[in-house]
Amino acid sequence: MPTLSDLVDLLHAWYPPATAEGWDAVGLVHGDLDAPVAKVMLAVDPTEVVAREAAEWGADLLVVHHPLFLKPVHGFTTATPKGRTLTTLARAGCALLAAHTNADQAVGGVSESMALALGLTDLRPLVPAPAEPLDKLTVFTPAGTAEAVRTALAEAGAGRIGDYDQASFTSPGEGRFRPLPGADPTIGEVGRPEVVDEVGIQVVLPRARRTAVVRAVLEAHPYEEPAYDVVELADPGTATTGTGRVGDVEPTTLRGFAERVRDALPATAHGVRVGGDPDRGVRRVALCGGAGDFLLDRVRDVDVDVYVTSDLRHHPAGEFLEHGGPALVDVAHWAAEWTWLPVLERRLTEALGGTVSTRVSTTSTDPWTFRA
């Protein structure tokens, strides 16, 4: 039987906390890392009713999307709803872990799960996650010292590309220089022009290692004044992770697509709100799980027919539609993000080989309960 520590490591590997937004509060909230875990329950919100459900089922771990504490607290008591939630879990011996914005962007995360639930294909991020910042360093050195310089570069962290290390490119050439008075040349004499068989060595390196790599080159290089340059590489925007998703659907109308959305998501009092011509054609869709009005300006410039998200406000939505771009489909926040839970349950079952029982909570924690 896995321990809580094993489950935390697994979930953090899928949804790294470092990828969460700076304002977010993700990860393990409560629990004994050495405790065995036999039952895991999954839910969108850590509410009192969900905590009671987890406790009554005998869950050892409750994994939720929304954090219980987004702002710092100095304590939790049964005088507050959040305090009662955590107290209920603690009394039942149930740990609590939140995967929020780190799960939003991930492969197998919230937006991707929602896209798959709506039948989208050929998925790509609406806003690709930024790639690790990379530099390219080129240094010129006498041919006989090239291997020592390449070794120093590799040891300093340069030359790692994907699953390869010590990667470099070497090209031959001639180095020309004339030592001036005060120089102490490794090759040649003061005042006399020199021509040396040199090679140019090019390596890629993480930008965070720039200073360390340059220092390593200066220390390993035989010249007192080595020639080198560093160029920042552009982000190709090819990350498979990122905010939102864009994908294709079989050609349909806006009305037909809205009905597909209605049927794919859990029913809520909110329902599915649509802005646009019902007979408009739909073939490409953008979406963002959760509140996505912050992406409206981005969506306006993307070749899509409709944007699906939650919590759209009157003025931003109206101004967006006035531009004549994509239609809008607004769904319940809870329903959109619930689509991630069955996906996560399947991943846990496959990864743990059936050693842990899982349960997806179907308790609606959408704040809107009925329409008058």
Side-chain angles (χ1 to χ4, degrees):
M1 186 182 301
T3 64
L4 177 59
S5 180
D6 295 328
L7 267 296
V8 171
D9 289 345
L10 182 63
L11 290 163
H12 283 180
W14 292 338
Y15 314 110
T19 63
E21 298 291 343
W23 51 263
D24 206 358
V26 302
L28 188 65
V29 179
H30 157 78
D32 178 356
L33 288 170
D34 295 325
V37 174
K39 290 184 174 183
V40 179
M41 195 175 92
L42 313 174
V44 175
D45 296 296
T47 61
E48 290 184 67
V49 65
V50 168
R52 288 195 298 270
E53 180 185 354
E56 291 169 2
W57 183 58
D60 302 300
L61 171 63
L62 172 62
V63 179
V64 293
H65 182 48
H66 293 139
L68 179 63
F69 300 114
L70 263 179
K71 296 179 180 180
V73 297
H74 68 274
F76 58 92
T77 73
T78 56
T80 67
K82 290 182 182 292
R84 290 192 291 274
T85 293
L86 195 53
T87 298
T88 298
L89 294 174
R91 286 174 175 168
C94 181
L96 176 65
L97 183 144
H100 192 209
T101 54
N102 51 323
D104 284 332
Q105 300 189 42
V107 172
V110 175
S111 284
E112 183 173 293
S113 299
M114 180 181 172
L116 294 174
L118 299 186
L120 274 62
T121 60
D122 298 325
L123 298 180
R124 65 182 187 276
L126 176 57
V127 182
E132 178 187 22
L134 297 176
D135 292 340
K136 182 180 73 173
L137 179 141
T138 303
V139 60
F140 302 92
T141 188
T145 62
E147 188 58 34
V149 172
R150 280 192 288 264
T151 298
L153 287 167
E155 291 177 350
R160 180 68 183 261
I161 303 176
D163 294 328
Y164 298 83
D165 65 2
Q166 302 182 31
S168 65
F169 180 79
T170 304
S171 56
E174 290 182 344
R176 296 173 179 268
F177 55 87
R178 185 179 69 165
L180 300 176
D184 182 19
T186 302
I187 299 174
E189 301 175 3
V190 172
R192 178 179 174 180
E194 291 292 338
V195 179
V196 181
D197 289 333
E198 293 187 352
V199 294
I201 302 172
Q202 296 181 329
V203 290
V204 173
L205 59 135
R207 193 161 300 154
R209 298 293 300 166
R210 179 189 291 176
T211 298
V213 170
V214 170
R215 284 180 177 174
V217 167
L218 298 179
E219 292 175 1
H221 204 287
Y223 290 172
E224 60 178 349
E225 298 291 349
Y228 71 91
D229 61 78
V230 177
V231 177
E232 294 186 355
L233 299 184
D235 185 345
T238 57
T240 57
T241 60
T243 303
R245 290 296 185 270
V246 174
D248 298 329
V249 293
E250 290 294 324
T252 184
T253 62
L254 180 59
R255 183 186 299 279
F257 177 73
E259 291 171 350
R260 170 187 289 194
V261 173
R262 178 200 63 200
D263 295 341
L265 300 183
T268 61
H270 176 288
V272 177
R273 302 189 301 175
V274 185
D277 181 354
D279 296 322
R280 173 188 182 139
V282 171
R283 58 181 177 80
R284 184 166 295 146
V285 178
L287 62 80
C288 178
D293 63 355
F294 70 99
L295 291 171
L296 286 174
D297 288 341
R298 180 66 175 252
V299 173
R300 187 183 299 154
D301 297 325
V302 178
D303 179 24
V304 297
D305 303 302
V306 61
Y307 178 47
V308 187
T309 191
S310 304
D311 303 338
L312 289 175
R313 294 169 294 161
H314 175 90
H315 293 296
E319 292 170 2
F320 178 87
L321 293 171
E322 286 175 351
H323 284 272
L328 292 175
V329 172
D330 183 271
V331 300
H333 193 126
W334 171 81
E337 295 179 331
W338 185 90
T339 59
W340 172 58
L341 304 183
V343 174
L344 177 56
E345 181 181 40
R346 286 194 295 272
R347 295 187 78 175
L348 287 170
T349 300
E350 293 171 1
L352 299 173
T355 58
V356 170
S357 298
T358 58
R359 174 173 177 167
V360 171
S361 174
T362 58
T363 300
S364 175
T365 50
D366 190 84
W368 311 113
T369 55
F370 71 94
R371 284 183 177 272

